[in-house]
Amino acid sequence: YNLVVSSLRTAQLMEKESERIQSELHVARESQASLLREKAPDSPGYDFRPYYPSAKEVGGDYCGIFPLDYDRCVRVVADVSGKGIPGSMEMARTRTILHIVAKESASASETVIRTNALLAKEIKRGMFVTLFLTILELSTRTMTCVSAGHNAMYVYRAATGEVEAVNPNGIALGFDPGPIFERTLQEKVIQLQQGDRFVLYTDGVVE
C-alpha cells in the first residue's frame, strides 16, 4: 500500500513539474515570437520575405529587418550557440543591442563592433553568436555586408543566372571584447541590379 501511495505522489509531482515547464516554454515561445514579428518596411522595388521555423520549442536564432531611416534598412540573421531557453535569452539580448546601436552607428562594421563590445561583457560563458548583417541603401541598391563568423550570403544575378557567395571575414560575437574582433572584421559592398536576389540563412537550413 505504501509503495502504491509513494508511486502516485511521485507521478503527481512529475505531472506538476511537466505542467510548469510547459507553461514556461509557452511564455518563452510567445516572447520570442513577439521579438521576431518584425514587419518588413514597405520598400517599392523590393520584396523581403523573412521565414523562421524553430527546430525546438524555442530557438537561439534571430531573423530581422528594420529601417534606419527613409533610405536605409538593416537585414540581419544571427545564430546563438545552444538552443532552448538559454539560447533564446541570448538571442533577445543580441536583438535588443542591435536595434539600439544600429541607429547610432555610422556603418555596418561599427554596428557589429559595438554590438560585440556590449555582448561580450554579458554573454554566458561558453556561448557565442554568429551574425550576418547588411545595410541596404534602397535608392542606389548598394548593400554593405558584415559577417561575424556566420554562413555566407548568396546573391543570384538575374542578368547572368550566376550565384555569388558573399563571405567577408569575421569572428563570432562574444569571443573577444574588442581588438582582435575589430582587426578581423571585414566589410564588403555589393551592387544589386534589377531582378537580383539575395539569401541570408542560419546553419539550421543545411543541417
Side-chain angles (χ1 to χ4, degrees), residues 49-66:
R49 300 195 182 188
Y51 177 64
Y52 181 84
S54 177
K56 291 191 174 182
E57 291 88 347
V58 288
D61 297 343
Y62 171 50
C63 169
I65 179 169
F66 57 94

Side-chain angles (χ1 to χ4, degrees), residues 140-205:
T140 63
R141 299 193 186 120
T142 302
M143 187 157 57
T144 307
C145 309
V146 176
S147 175
H150 199 75
N151 305 91
M153 178 180 75
Y154 286 93
V155 181
Y156 168 77
R157 297 296 187 179
T160 63
E162 296 179 350
V163 176
E164 301 173 9
V166 180
N167 194 19
N169 291 333
I171 61 175
L173 305 172
F175 279 134
D176 175 76
I180 297 175
F181 184 89
E182 292 179 31
R183 286 199 303 270
T184 308
L185 196 68
Q186 180 186 27
E187 198 173 75
K188 188 167 184 178
V189 179
I190 66 170
Q191 183 65 49
L192 297 174
Q193 304 296 336
Q194 184 72 33
D196 288 352
R197 299 179 181 184
F198 65 92
V199 178
L200 300 171
Y201 64 98
T202 65
D203 58 11
V205 174

